[in-house]
Structure formats: structure tokens, C-alpha cells
Amino acid sequence: MSTKRLYIKTFGCQMNVHDSERIGGLLRDEGYRLTEKPDEADMIIVNTCNIREKSEQKAYSDLGRFAMLKRDKPDLILGMAGCVAQKDGEKVLKRYKGLDLVFGSSNIENVPQMLQTITLNAQPVVMVLEPPGPPKTTPADRKDRVRAWVSIMEGCDRHCAFCVVPMTRGRERSRLSAEIVQEVSHLAEAGYKEITLLGQTVNSYGKSLEEGVDFADLLRMLNAVDGIERIRFMSPHPSDMNPKLIETMAELPKICEFLHLPLQSGSDAVLKRMGRGYTLNEYRPIVERLRRLVPDMAFSTDIIIGFPGETEDDFKKTLDAVAEFEYDNVYYFHYSQRPNTPAAQWEDQIPDEVKDARFARLSALEKALAREKNRRLIDTVQEVLVEGRSKRDRAKLTGRTRSNKLVHFEGDDREIGCLINVRITFASSTYLEGMRIEG
Ligand code: SAH
Ligand code: F3S
């Protein structure tokens, strides 16, 4: 089989990045190898995101640019994947005449079959229907050799009033636990040390299956895989952080002391209108229990600024909550009106200037908190999983602590992929520096 070149442009979250690895893995089996250069590609796939308006616009403008390449190279196969593809389906074909392939994230497993159809019929193919049954295991062409993403479920059965995901990724569907364990065992054999389990509400894993295995059970199964040293997951929903899961996290040695727990707002009134399904008083004990059982636990969160009807008082409650929970990291977003979501139609939309001003206040608080949290680590010894050379200083190695903090320190290439103990000597709001401990 002759080698063909594949260029994938990815927008959006880790889930999308990993979806691109899976598309790459399946197409590798069809004779395609990844390239960084779109102009030398035989196939280009734009893997899109539409969580906020900006990402959708960028995806469309890239697609337009790549469609021009077809003028000089009529055999180029051009595809659109991901959430915009799922949402717009056939409509995309009308907008871009040169497009050959449009598919949603739940149809990634069908990529080889779609490719065959295009080659045989020379007709564009659109596939945006969820296949029945649990998602199938697919190969993945992973860039990283130390840390791997593993998708354990797709879709989301919740309906937050701001969120487009249930429309673009469909109903919640979990993979079979035995297939996940097998994939992780293969990763361990290939030398991977860390896995991050991915799902939109990752801790509701198993609900769509009849296996009787829940997320805590799955963590226990994966903790037993030899060779894997660290387990992370993204993103849990607060309503599914049950006591069994909290205790399991505290008990299992490989589960990292880090939790990304989206809060979205610190105001109960806003949480209610968002349809998040919890109040601040229900969120708080999760953080408190985990901190009690795992004293070094680090937390990060997502906050939406300027959700329709958000008052100054609501926003102050968000600032108070962020300060109270002492997050190590906060990801905050301007609320973006997404088509066909309930909140987009509400009249009490917040003006951009108000969103901007609130954004700046949260940003200042977030940076101060992160700096303070990082400073507390000075003089402590942290276990770092070394990822590679630091981009800002080639003399240094870079890696992460179990609590997910970036650390730079001087070291040898042979240490890449190893767990090294590092004494922290310097802390900024975004990274740490340190010195390896001999022996
Ligand atoms: N279940 C996923 C949600 C994916 S979206 C998770 O819990 O991570 C990731 C984040 O994007 C959300 O947590 C939310 O903070 C933000 N987001 C989603 N829809 C948004 C919108 N319409 N406007 C602004 N931010 C949004
Ligand atoms: Fe979106 Fe809420 Fe699900 S944020 S992904 S609808 S839990």
C-alpha cells in the first residue's frame, strides 16, 4: 500500500484532540500517515468545535481555505468532523462544494467504510447518525509517548441551558469496561505511564450499560493495570460525585490528587436557571470531603461569565465561591449564545461590556489564587512525570506533578518518561521550577 498523507486540524477540547488521534489511527490502517503541512496532504480533515461561537467561525474559515487547495489538487479528499459537522450535516455540503466527507464524533468508527464509499462512488458522504450499542474500540495515533487520553464514554444526557453538547455529541453511551481495561493494558505495555479518562460527564460512566460497573468500579479495575502509574479523568459532574467515588479516589494510589470540578456559577439562582442540578451547598461537601481525605488535593473549575440574567450580586457570589474553594486553576468563559439551546432565546442577555468587566475581575482573583497556591509548594518535594524538554529553556526538562502543576528543572533526556522527585524552588501563577533530588 502506498503512503498517503493526512493533515488534521483540530479545534476544541481534549475530547476532540483525542478524537483526531482516533481518526489518525483508523486512517493509518488505510495507509495514511500524518503530516504537519496541509499543502502536501492527500486528505485534510477539519475536526470542529462549536461550544462557543468563535470556535465555530474559525472552523468554517479554515474549511474555506482548505477547499481552495482542491483547485490545484482535485483528488484531495476534504472532510469535516466533530460538533459543527454533527450539527450542520448536509448543510455543510451545500456551503462547500468541494467537501467529500462530513461526520459526527460518534461516527469516527465508520471512517474506513466512508472512505471506501467515496473511493467507489466519487460521491460525498454524510454520516451524523449515532450507531446503536456502545462505542466501538478504535486504534489511535497518539503523539505523546508518556501520557494517553482514553475515551470511556460519549455524549451527555444532561441538558444545561447554555450547552450545545447534548445536540452535537448525542446521548450518553459508555464503552464496555473490558474493552477499556484492554486498551489501557496495551498502553501500559507500550510504555505509557499516565492515562486521562475522557467523557462529557465522565463519572456517570456505566449508566447506559447493563454490566453493573460504575465509574468507581472502573477506576479500581484500571488501578490494577501494571505499568500505569497515574490516572486522571475529565470532566466529572458534581451531581455524580457520590461518596463511593470520593472514597475510591482517596483509597486508590494511582488516582492523582487533582480534580477538575466544573462549578459554572457560585449563585444558586443562576445554577438553577442553568439547570445544573446542584446548589452551592451540595457542591461544597464534595470539595470538603476530598480535602479531608486527601489533604494535597488540587482543584480546578469552569466558570461561565454573564449567563442571561446574571446580576452583580450573582457574580459576587461566584467570586466568593472561587475564593472559598481556593481553586488551583479556573477556566472562565464569556457566556456565548448557542443556537437551539434554551438560554440563547432568553431576553435578559448580558451586554459584552459587563461580561468584559466581570471577566477582568475574575481573572485578577484567579491569578492571585494560583500564585498563592503554587507558592505554598516552595521547598516541598514533588513527584514529576517528565514529558520532554521545556519549550522556553531547552536546558530544562518539563513535566507535571500529581496535582497537575507544570514543573521545569534541569535534567537529562534519559529521564523523559520517568517519575523524578523534584524540590520546588520557584513558583509563578502558571508554573513551578525546581531541582531534582539525587538518588
Ligand atoms: N461536560 C463538559 C462540558 C463541556 S463544555 C465538562 O464538564 O467539561 C466545557 C466548558 O465550556 C463548560 O464547563 C462550560 O464552562 C463552558 N461552556 C459550555 N457552553 C458554553 C457557552 N454556551 N458559553 C460559554 N461557555 C460555555
Ligand atoms: Fe454540557 Fe452540561 Fe452535559 S455542560 S456536556 S450539558 S453536563
Side-chain angles (χ1 to χ4, degrees), residues 182-227:
Q182 195 180 38
E183 179 174 357
V184 172
S185 305
H186 288 154
L187 288 167
E189 280 159 23
Y192 285 89
K193 296 275 168 44
E194 179 179 304
I195 52 163
T196 301
L197 308 176
L198 296 177
Q200 295 295 341
T201 51
V202 75
N203 52 339
S204 75
Y205 172 81
K207 283 186 190 160
S208 63
L209 296 173
E210 284 160 17
E211 296 189 318
V213 175
D214 68 10
F215 185 61
D217 300 330
L218 180 70
L219 287 178
R220 195 171 290 280
M221 291 158 98
L222 296 176
N223 191 73
V225 175
D226 277 343

Side-chain angles (χ1 to χ4, degrees), residues 156 158-160 162-163 165-166 200-201 237 264 276:
C156 179
R158 294 187 179 268
H159 291 279
C160 301
F162 52 81
C163 185
V165 168
Q200 295 295 341
T201 51
H237 191 281
Q264 312 299 358
R276 287 291 290 173

Side-chain angles (χ1 to χ4, degrees), residues 342-373:
Q345 274 107 56
W346 297 347
E347 281 178 4
D348 44 0
Q349 300 292 329
I350 304 294
D352 282 345
E353 315 81 80
V354 176
K355 284 184 198 163
D356 289 344
R358 290 180 184 167
F359 195 90
R361 284 156 73 195
L362 181 54
S363 164
L365 173 62
E366 195 274 328
K367 284 209 176 63
L369 269 179
R371 190 172 303 118
E372 169 55 24
K373 295 291 303 252

